[in-house]
Each structure stands twice: as C-alpha cells, then as structure tokens.
Amino acid sequence: MTDTLLNHRAEGPASAPPLLLGPSLGTSYALWDEVASELSTAHRVVRWDLPGHGGSAAGLIGAGATVGDLAELVLALADALGIERFGYAGVSLGGAVGLHLAVHHPERVSSLAVICSSAHFNGAKPWEERAALVRREGLAGLAESAGARWFTPGFTVPRLVRDHREADPDAYAACCDALAAFDLRERLAEIEAPTLLIAGREDPATPPAHLRQIADAVPGAALVEIPGASHLAPAQCPEAVLTALRAHLNGAAGRGMEVRREVLGDAHVDRAQARQTPFTARFQDFISRYAWGEIWTDPTLSRRERSMITLTALVARGHHDELAMHVRAARRNGLTSEEIGAVLLQTAVYCGVPAANSAFATAQRVLEEEGRS
C-alpha cells in the first residue's frame, strides 16, 4: 500500500492486452477472486481497491469526492503500470468509474463491461443519508446487512462481508458522496468503446432496468441478464460472468480475424488456421486480438501507411518469409510495385544495402508470381 496509489493486484502475461477490474462499494479486489485467474490466461489483469478498502489508503479521497476523482486514481494507477489503453470491467461503483472513463477519457478505454451498476444510483438522498450514518456510527451495522444486499438468500462470501466491516468509515462515506453526485444518463450516447452490460436478475440495488437503460443509450451495447444473481454477480455466479466477459473481450479477436483476412487474404489465413495446434492456439488468438484487432484496426494510420512501415521493419530484421507475405499484403492495401520498390530503396539507406538487396530479391519473386497468377 502507498499513500498515493490504489492498492492493486496484477495477474497474467505482461505482454497481454491489459484489463482493469473495478470493485463495488464495501468490497476489495477479492470480489474478482473467482474470475480474475481465468481472465488472466489471455489478459494482463489488474484489479484494484477503492480508497479505504482492502489495501488502499483511506486518504486518497475525502468528503465530497466524485466518481471522477476515483477515475483519476484509476488512470494514475494505469500510468504507474505503463498501461496506456485498457479494457475495463467494473461492478456497481466500479462500473460507474468505467462509465466515467469511457465518456471523459475515451482514448484510454478499448472496451467496457458494466456489471450490476447504473448511470445513476436512485438519486442523492439515500447516499447522503448513508454517508451521514457511517460517519456517525461506523460500518458495523451496515456490514451486518451486507449479505442481504449483495446476495440471494442462503448465499454469502464471508471474505467480502469482512472487507465491508473493515473498510475505513470516512473513505466509505466519501464513496457514498461520489455515488450521490453521479448521474451520467445524458452522456451515455457519447460512449464509443464496445460495451457490455451485465445485470443480476435478483439485484435489488441496481435492477436490470438500470442496465437496460444504459444498453439502450450506448450505441451498439449488449445486455446480458444472469438468472439467480444478485448485486455481486462475479462472486455469486462467476461462470456466467466469465462466459459473458469472454464473448465480449474476444470481440477484438473476431474483428482482428476480419482485418487479417482483408490484408493477408483468405488463402493465407486458411493455411495458418489449418496448421494451428493446441500448442499454438493461444499465440494465434493473441495475434488476432493484439496485432490485427488492436493495431491494424487503429484508424490513426491508413493500411497503406501500415504496409510501408511493416515492410521497412521486416527488412531491418531480415524476416524474409514475413516480408514476402507483406509484399502481397501491400499490393492488397493499394501499393503499386513502384511504391514498394521506393520503400525498399529507402531501406537501403537506413537498414543497409545487403538487407535491401535481399528484400528486392524477395519482393521481385513475389511480384512476378502475382503477375503470372
């Protein structure tokens, strides 16, 4: 724990796409215990604690805090970890943080999942009253009823109830202040990140209608309702939440496969798929999600420009098999043979004449094959 950074736990490969997981009020990152390890097989999962909860310092926020203040703490954590752009999933207050990030910092959020949450939380009065109660009497009384608010009858997670009891009252009350002031309904249509809403059918705090309202307003959003789940769905129904999150997060892989086929051609991709084995499957999924689903879909550069950059990099590294493939891709992306030649001539200056000589031989062979086909 530090006084300036949210307490967190990171899991999964450092090179995998980042996924931040936000908690609900009164819980710690243990809320994600049954889900995080599975998600970390394909993502760099970072789950964090609210101020005054789990291992996070209470002094990170104070009275009158806003969801925007919490979002800034999340961005500070991402910056400290070297994470520029990330997928995000959050429960309740953690979901509100995700909505705020998607509206106010769209360049940082690659995908969004909002779980058992809302674009508003039934007005300010209930949260103002709860904040006053906690500041006056502490958390013991609220902790006693936490299980009934969070889970269906007969189900509980003692660790999470203990987290509630041990949270710092002032920080908890400040989080209530944030919920009291939160209302993003008028700005939901601005959200551009692919968005999934997950509702617990038995959730009394944020019923499915709250998630439906978000789904109706966010362009292209999808809604999943989980039967038998109350407010803390990742703890009560982890398999159902995992299924929904995997389908949502793999959307980048689906789009990536489309782009991969558009750039490299169906024949090449079909051959690569036919050679796939259980040993290479995760690598192929990584390539589809990251290289093709994240990088090649970024509209900042055109595909023509990306082809020129890729050709140069492959020449520099001497990857001639990949170079042949990307000469074909460059033609498919609109480069003429003369433009490809100009790119390779440029590499002679900056990558070396021998490297360019080999590259010209590879490119000439590919272009002659294309001319005969």
Side-chain angles (χ1 to χ4, degrees), residues 139-151 161 164-165:
L139 284 164
L142 276 176
E144 289 301 317
S145 62
R149 298 197 310 273
W150 288 347
F151 305 115
V161 176
H164 191 310
R165 185 176 294 108

Side-chain angles (χ1 to χ4, degrees), residues 196-273:
L196 170 69
L197 294 311
I198 300 178
R201 289 257 179 96
E202 310 302 321
D203 182 0
T206 52
H210 284 240
L211 284 302
R212 207 171 296 127
Q213 183 180 46
I214 301 172
D216 288 344
V218 176
L223 171 65
V224 172
E225 295 186 18
I226 300 179
S230 188
H231 192 54
L232 301 189
Q236 185 167 10
C237 299
E239 288 299 327
V241 171
L242 268 172
T243 298
L245 285 176
R246 280 179 177 140
H248 174 61
L249 295 168
N250 285 342
R255 175 59 181 147
M257 185 59 74
E258 291 177 18
V259 174
R260 190 178 180 186
R261 288 184 177 278
E262 290 168 3
V263 173
L264 300 181
D266 289 333
H268 172 84
V269 176
D270 287 343
R271 287 194 298 272
Q273 292 293 94

Side-chain angles (χ1 to χ4, degrees), residues 311-312 314-320 323-324 327 340-367:
L311 291 175
T312 304
L314 293 172
V315 172
R317 300 297 295 175
H319 298 313
H320 294 126
L323 177 63
V327 168
I340 292 171
V343 170
L344 298 184
L345 188 60
Q346 185 89 359
T347 68
V349 177
Y350 294 98
C351 302
V353 171
N357 185 50
S358 298
F360 267 105
T362 298
Q364 181 167 306
R365 173 176 55 80
V366 171
L367 295 170

Side-chain angles (χ1 to χ4, degrees), residues 8-257:
H8 61 281
R9 178 176 178 179
E11 301 159 89
S15 60
L19 174 63
L20 273 57
L21 302 179
S24 68
L25 178 64
T27 70
S28 70
Y29 65 52
L31 173 59
W32 293 97
D33 276 354
E34 301 300 316
V35 175
S37 61
E38 292 294 329
L39 291 174
S40 69
T41 61
H43 295 84
R44 180 189 182 189
V45 172
V46 178
R47 36 183 172 146
W48 53 273
D49 286 331
L50 289 163
H53 295 62
S56 285
L60 288 170
I61 57 168
T66 66
V67 169
D69 294 331
L70 294 171
E72 290 301 322
L73 289 171
V74 171
L75 291 178
L77 173 61
D79 291 342
L81 296 174
I83 297 172
E84 176 63 28
R85 188 167 164 83
F86 49 82
Y88 184 93
V91 180
S92 194
L93 177 53
V97 170
L99 288 170
H100 181 95
L101 288 169
V103 168
H104 294 279
H105 301 278
E107 74 285 354
R108 302 298 296 269
V109 181
S110 59
S111 67
L112 173 66
V114 178
I115 304 169
C116 300
S117 187
S118 183
H120 66 99
F121 287 83
N122 296 314
K125 187 176 180 181
W127 297 105
E128 291 169 350
E129 292 174 348
R130 186 184 292 195
L133 174 67
V134 170
R135 288 181 173 118
R136 186 173 63 249
E137 301 180 7
L139 284 164
L142 276 176
E144 289 301 317
S145 62
R149 298 197 310 273
W150 288 347
F151 305 115
T152 55
F155 185 91
T156 191
V157 180
R159 162 73 188 276
L160 296 178
V161 176
R162 186 172 70 250
D163 286 336
H164 191 310
R165 185 176 294 108
E166 295 176 353
D168 180 87
D170 288 334
Y172 183 101
C175 289
C176 291
D177 294 340
L179 287 166
F182 184 70
D183 190 342
L184 213 59
R185 285 174 288 184
E186 296 303 316
R187 301 197 62 180
L188 292 174
E190 299 174 30
I191 294 177
E192 298 177 353
T195 301
L196 170 69
L197 294 311
I198 300 178
R201 289 257 179 96
E202 310 302 321
D203 182 0
T206 52
H210 284 240
L211 284 302
R212 207 171 296 127
Q213 183 180 46
I214 301 172
D216 288 344
V218 176
L223 171 65
V224 172
E225 295 186 18
I226 300 179
S230 188
H231 192 54
L232 301 189
Q236 185 167 10
C237 299
E239 288 299 327
V241 171
L242 268 172
T243 298
L245 285 176
R246 280 179 177 140
H248 174 61
L249 295 168
N250 285 342
R255 175 59 181 147
M257 185 59 74

